[in-house]
Amino acid sequence: MRIVFVSTSVGPLGSGIGGGVELTLRTLAGGLSKMGHSVTVVAPLGSVLTLSESNSASERSGIGAVRLMEVAGALHVPSQTRDRSAPLSVPANSVLQNMWHRVIELAGTERFDVVLNFAYDVLPFSEADAIGVPVTHLVSMGSLSDEMDLAVRSVMTTHPGCVAMHSRAQAETFGTDVASGVTIVGSGIDVERYEFSPHAGDDLAYVGRISREKGIEDVFAVSAASNRRVRAFGVMEDRAVWDAAARAFPGARVAHEGFLSTQDLQRQLGECAALLMVHRWVEAFGNVAIEAMACGVPVITYDRGGPAEIVQHGATGFVVAPDNVDAVVEAVGRLDTIPREQCRRRVLEHYSGRAFAGRVAAWLGSLARR
Ligand code: UDP
């Protein structure tokens, strides 16, 4: 297949502003091209797409190719920072609009079989018919905006099958009618990018954007109550939330380590005793859970959204009642009962980038132009 990816409009690929969708896009571009499909990625100016060694090898042998096309324009405000009833605003000279214009131009000069939209925004749903090529949508977050809910629901009526999501829990946030019509593709990572680390240090880890919905307050609360240091990796999206948590829990020791490349992140994450996932929203999937497990790091998660479908309680980590900091602290005390190699094995067997790309290819193949 000749596939066009349209990236998120909230930040360039590689910036971390887009969150898990950046990793998802990279994994799929690499995985689909290794299967022999050609992939054109249309993304905001400044995007970087570092594919793995094995991708360069397959490109050299003539299998699949990934082409990145950068498009200038104003970035969009992420939906999770807005009220759910607020209309999604389109900035002047919108990068999303510019990316879709580029796709329309491309479709006029080259033959494509299918377009895959990664942006959590209504515009790709309304632009879809202007392209003349089937458009599919991989929705990266749960329900956050009334306008987006409407767009998802309506495209599922006019173009059945064209929406995929990462987990059952994510799909259900849009309503049971939507959940029954979407394709669940899970997620995956290029496991070879993550080194297994057999020995744990004392520190705990948090990985993700620093924001309210990711539960930064509870990260501080767990640190204070367990007397363990937490290393926090990720983009500082909301400094006010971080500062308020630091004031509320003066006994906490939480160090912000910044946003690291996958290579550096996996090295530092591998030294940690566990990953904390104490989110307030319904996490759509939680790529960071499988990234941690690939390094041999168990995950302690609230029973809320995708991570609770990934973590096997007592085997690869602990699933505890949502918002229950004491239960997290208690699980921290039982981490030595989790064999780290079991975490790694689970990712190899269930969350490889290859298997993920295979599921997405099957879904795209069922909708692509013939
Ligand atoms: N991430 C990273 N470096 C860091 C911290 C985070 O590359 O220092 C990436 C991480 O690999 C993951 C993403 O940021 O892919 C966070 O994704 P997740 O799905 O957990 O959350 P989202 O932000 O999409 O809600």
Side-chain angles (χ1 to χ4, degrees):
M1 284 182 284
R2 277 145 302 190
I3 310 168
V4 181
F5 284 6
V6 188
S7 186
T8 171
S9 49
V10 300
L13 290 169
S15 67
I17 302 167
V21 72
E22 297 183 25
L23 184 70
T24 301
L25 188 151
R26 185 180 76 191
T27 306
L28 287 178
L32 289 165
S33 70
K34 270 190 247 172
M35 291 172 73
H37 303 294
S38 84
V39 180
T40 299
V41 179
V42 178
L45 188 65
S47 286
V48 180
L49 193 58
T50 322
L51 298 176
S52 64
E53 286 293 312
S54 49
N55 269 109
S56 322
S58 52
E59 276 196 30
R60 276 197 300 277
S61 61
I63 309 169
V66 179
R67 175 173 61 158
L68 173 64
M69 288 190 162
E70 296 173 66
V71 173
L75 297 171
H76 283 227
V77 175
S79 302
Q80 70 271 16
T81 62
R82 306 169 60 95
D83 192 74
R84 73 171 297 122
S85 58
L88 297 172
S89 67
V90 181
N93 186 29
S94 144
V95 74
L96 188 55
Q97 234 152 27
N98 296 349
M99 289 195 291
W100 281 90
H101 289 153
R102 175 65 67 84
V103 176
I104 293 169
E105 264 166 40
L106 270 176
T109 55
E110 295 179 37
R111 192 193 147 94
F112 291 107
D113 302 310
V114 65
V115 176
L116 176 54
N117 162 46
F118 288 84
Y120 191 99
D121 202 293
V122 293
L123 194 129
F125 291 84
S126 54
E127 290 281 332
D129 289 329
I131 296 178
V133 176
V135 175
T136 59
H137 310 268
L138 179 49
V139 178
S140 59
M141 296 186 283
S143 162
L144 293 172
S145 130
D146 295 342
E147 205 183 344
M148 182 71 180
D149 283 17
L150 210 61
V152 169
R153 207 168 250 116
S154 130
V155 84
M156 286 176 63
T157 315
T158 53
H159 301 78
C162 74
V163 176
M165 296 192 189
H166 293 288
S167 70
R168 180 73 32 216
Q170 175 198 6
E172 278 164 6
T173 64
F174 289 87
T176 43
D177 54 330
V178 169
S180 62
V182 302
T183 303
I184 304 295
V185 291
S187 187
I189 52 172
D190 294 326
V191 191
E192 70 272 13
R193 286 179 184 253
Y194 301 79
E195 206 175 315
F196 174 62
S197 171
H199 305 294
D202 267 350
D203 291 348
L204 305 172
Y206 164 84
V207 184
R209 293 172 290 104
I210 309 294
S211 69
R212 186 179 304 281
E213 74 274 7
K214 290 289 193 176
I216 284 301
E217 293 93 329
D218 286 6
V219 171
F220 277 79
V222 170
S223 171
S226 63
N227 195 25
R228 299 279 278 253
R229 193 167 87 108
V230 180
R231 302 172 67 189
F233 305 95
V235 166
M236 180 62 76
E237 189 179 275
D238 194 337
R239 164 73 62 186
V241 164
W242 175 279
D243 290 344
R247 278 195 302 274
F249 299 96
R253 289 177 293 142
V254 186
H256 183 224
E257 310 277 358
F259 178 78
L260 308 184
S261 66
T262 300
Q263 199 184 0
D264 293 339
L265 175 67
Q266 61 85 30
R267 196 175 303 125
Q268 303 213 26
L269 185 53
E271 295 168 0
C272 295
L275 174 73
L276 301 177
M277 296 194 75
V278 288
H279 41 285
R280 290 200 171 169
W281 70 349
V282 177
E283 192 71 64
F285 185 82
N287 278 330
V288 299
I290 52 176
E291 294 184 86
M293 284 161 55
C295 303
V297 176
V299 180
I300 303 175
T301 182
Y302 283 159
D303 187 1
R304 180 177 272 152
E309 294 178 24
I310 299 167
V311 177
Q312 300 162 286
H313 184 71
T316 54
F318 298 100
V319 181
V320 306
D323 309 317
N324 189 337
V325 169
D326 292 342
V328 176
V329 173
E330 197 259 337
V332 169
R334 287 192 287 142
L335 281 170
D336 55 3
T337 62
I338 306 286
R340 288 170 71 95
E341 47 301 340
Q342 202 155 276
C343 300
R344 168 84 177 182
R345 198 172 331 118
R346 182 79 189 162
V347 179
L348 284 167
E349 289 170 1
H350 293 269
Y351 300 106
S352 73
R354 192 192 171 93
F356 178 38
R359 290 189 295 274
V360 170
W363 167 58
L364 294 178
S366 71
L367 298 158
R369 184 157 76 170
R370 284 165 210 285

